[in-house]
Amino acid sequence: MTTRIAILASGAGTNARALLSASEKGELGDAEVVALFSDRAGCGALGAAAEAGIEAVVVDPASHPGREAYGEAMAAALRDRGVDLVCLAGFMRILSAGFIAAFEGRVLNIHPALLPAFPGAHAVRDTLAWGVRVTGSTVHFADEDVDHGPILVQECVPVLPGDDEASLHERIKAVEHRLYPEAVRLVVEGRTRIEGRRVLVDAAPPAAPPAAPRAASPAAPRAASPAAPRAASRAAGAR
């Protein structure tokens, strides 16, 4: 059964584009991106969805005052489209507890740091301010807290001498655009299990159930092939 994916995004949409491209190429496994939702009209992510021929929807926070009301509206829109998996790609709103409960274990987020270090909206800036030597990207299951849920995959990115926020973020994004589709595929293939704060990943997809045996069809009678002529034995004729 094909997994129906929705992307939630607020900004330029570079990670959204990576997921849309991977979906089009079949790199997410048996899955397809069916819609992109945003809280900001006119953002780049909506344009990316339109270019890909994917439904682009704005759920306006002003029409749903309060986090819980907004979460209920978003969850209803996702359910109406039969969404199985939600991928946050720079979605700049804190999800309500009700939304997380409605899609428990089915919401992924990507963050430009090695969580639990440097959560929040300014992770790259904070990384440079603290002078760390290594940062990276994290894909994790989302919960109602900011950048907090169980970690699925991470990849390191070195902080180079002379890096500023823009140059470091560009290298992190290059990793993210590969890492996020890979993480989504792990979930689609059923290879992940959440146990408390840990995510266990199976080395290979679960084996498909054996196919039901097919009834043998009656064998059609075969025509006898003509016997090949045999050369006469010289010994037989010399009597």
Side-chain angles (χ1 to χ4, degrees), residues 1-8 75-76 78-88 95 98-109 139-143 150 152 180 183-184 187-188 192 194 199:
M1 182 176 179
T2 300
T3 299
R4 295 173 63 81
I5 297 173
I7 300 170
L8 273 58
L78 294 171
R79 281 194 295 263
D80 287 346
R81 291 159 177 82
V83 169
D84 304 301
L85 180 65
V86 179
C87 294
L88 308 180
L95 297 170
F99 181 93
I100 292 296
F103 290 90
E104 186 175 4
R106 295 185 292 145
V107 183
L108 292 176
N109 184 44
V139 180
H140 65 98
F141 287 94
D143 60 18
L152 175 52
Y180 208 178
V184 170
V187 176
V188 168
T192 62
I194 302 174
V199 179

Side-chain angles (χ1 to χ4, degrees), residues 82-83 86 138 169 201 216 220 226 239:
V83 169
V86 179
T138 302
H169 202 181
V201 179
R239 283 193 180 177

Side-chain angles (χ1 to χ4, degrees), residues 112-115 117-118 123-124 126-128 130-137 154-160 163 168 171-172:
L114 295 176
L115 292 174
F118 308 120
V124 179
D126 294 343
T127 294
L128 291 169
W130 278 86
V132 300
R133 300 294 189 267
V134 176
T135 184
S137 177
Q154 292 183 306
E155 186 168 327
C156 294
V157 174
V159 180
L160 303 180
D163 261 337
L168 179 56
R171 291 206 315 283
I172 293 172

Side-chain angles (χ1 to χ4, degrees), residues 3 5 7 18-33 87 180-189:
T3 299
I5 297 173
I7 300 170
L19 291 174
L20 290 165
S21 176
S23 176
E24 184 178 358
K25 296 174 183 176
E27 296 173 351
L28 301 180
D30 188 5
E32 61 176 341
V33 176
C87 294
Y180 208 178
E182 291 174 358
V184 170
R185 183 168 187 133
L186 291 175
V187 176
V188 168
E189 292 180 342

